[in-house]
Amino acid sequence: YMGVASGGVFKTTDGGANWAPITDGQVPVASTGVIAVADSNPDVLYLGTGSDDVRSNVSTGRGIYTSTDAGKTWKFSGLYNGGQTGGLKIHPTDPKTAWVAMQGDAFKANNERGVYKTTDGGATWKKVLYVSDTIGAMDIELQPGNPNVIYAWMSHLERKPWSIISGGPAADGAGFYKSTDGGEHFAKVNGKGLPTDQIGKANMAVTNANPNRIYALIETADGVPQKDEPVDNGELWRSDDGGTNWKVVSYNRDLACRQAYYTRVTASTD
């Protein structure tokens, strides 16, 4: 399955040689934030509308849709005002239990930002993490082998006609959150080594090989990385103890991108 930012969801059954649209005429929102497949029942799909990459052009998300027949039919499953969908995870053994990170309305402050949980396949949702009407949930991850441990990232995100507000002071509630009771409650973890000043969106990943290892690609203050640059200007962080302690493992941001781009242009290669 492939969800795109402006064209709905597509499905392939031949390894990617051919793709067919499967939400046209059923899901009235073309912008996709996330699509997830239940490990315990591959016929169960959750679709979060609203692309999570809010930049110059963005189409507002309008909630969650679910399918129980591998994408043949879809039904609306709530959170209409949740805005952009930052991430969605399904319980590994219970396809009716899922957690979703809602970034919120990209164009205004709204109370629907935050992390939500369903235990009935999307019929109802419970808000389990809320910071403010301007700070939304950017991503959510489960600890492999232990779905009671859940990680979430919160930050400020809003699109103005004249600018994009992506990030803000960590003191306002942005940053890393953790739950140890299946997402019923979350607490902010001011992990040692994480950015402490201006922080924005982050994407996280947890490795199956070491469930306590978390990677976080974090939007931080602008600037070309230099040797021994302060932690707040890093790019990629890693924790080996479930989020208590972190260290920067890469400072390569704009500089690396520009170098790669100019190398390609100079060499006239694709």
Side-chain angles (χ1 to χ4, degrees):
Y1 300 93
M2 174 179 64
V4 298
S6 58
V9 177
F10 293 77
K11 179 179 180 179
T12 179
T13 56
D14 55 13
N18 296 281
W19 293 84
I22 61 173
T23 52
D24 290 4
Q26 297 192 68
V27 179
V29 183
S31 182
T32 302
V34 62
I35 182 166
V37 184
D39 289 338
S40 58
N41 183 352
D43 286 339
V44 175
L45 311 176
Y46 288 75
L47 167 64
T49 61
S51 171
D52 67 334
D53 293 321
V54 177
R55 287 299 177 258
S56 297
N57 298 298
V58 59
S59 178
T60 301
R62 290 303 181 193
I64 307 298
Y65 286 78
T66 56
S67 173
T68 56
D69 54 12
K72 293 179 182 178
T73 59
W74 295 86
K75 69 175 181 179
F76 175 68
S77 295
L79 302 183
Y80 182 82
N81 292 315
Q84 315 310 107
T85 309
L88 190 152
K89 291 297 179 182
I90 307 173
H91 192 284
T93 60
D94 178 10
K96 291 188 175 182
T97 297
W99 302 264
V100 63
M102 303 306 297
Q103 294 182 352
D105 192 312
F107 299 97
K108 64 182 180 180
N110 72 317
N111 291 322
E112 285 76 12
R113 301 173 191 265
V115 175
Y116 291 80
K117 178 181 180 179
T118 180
T119 56
D120 53 17
T124 60
W125 294 88
K126 175 184 178 182
K127 186 188 290 186
V128 291
L129 174 56
Y130 175 76
V131 175
S132 75
D133 61 2
T134 60
I135 293 179
M138 302 296 112
D139 195 14
I140 190 164
E141 294 289 340
L142 306 183
Q143 186 181 74
N146 186 2
N148 283 324
V149 178
I150 303 172
Y151 309 116
W153 188 273
M154 309 291 287
S155 72
H156 189 173
L157 181 65
E158 193 173 350
R159 181 75 176 92
K160 298 292 188 181
W162 58 89
S163 68
I164 299 170
I165 303 173
S166 187
D172 287 348
F176 178 71
Y177 286 75
K178 182 176 182 178
S179 170
T180 58
D181 59 4
E184 291 297 319
H185 306 87
F186 282 84
K188 186 177 182 183
V189 179
N190 296 311
K192 182 180 179 181
L194 279 175
T196 57
D197 190 11
Q198 298 288 319
I199 56 175
K201 180 182 177 182
N203 284 111
M204 300 182 295
V206 188
T207 170
N208 283 295
N210 180 356
N212 285 314
R213 176 169 292 181
I214 312 168
Y215 291 92
L217 192 67
I218 304 173
E219 179 184 19
T220 58
D222 291 334
V224 177
Q226 302 293 333
K227 183 178 180 181
D228 299 326
E229 191 171 19
V231 170
D232 277 1
N233 288 336
E235 168 72 354
L236 180 65
W237 274 257
R238 190 183 84 201
S239 172
D240 293 326
D241 56 11
T244 301
N245 294 279
W246 296 77
K247 65 179 179 180
V248 180
V249 292
S250 176
Y251 288 105
N252 295 327
R253 296 196 304 169
D254 349 31
L255 180 61
C257 294
R258 286 200 297 270
Q259 288 177 336
Y261 171 76
Y262 287 124
T263 299
R264 290 196 300 271
V265 171
T266 303
S268 298
T269 59
D270 292 332

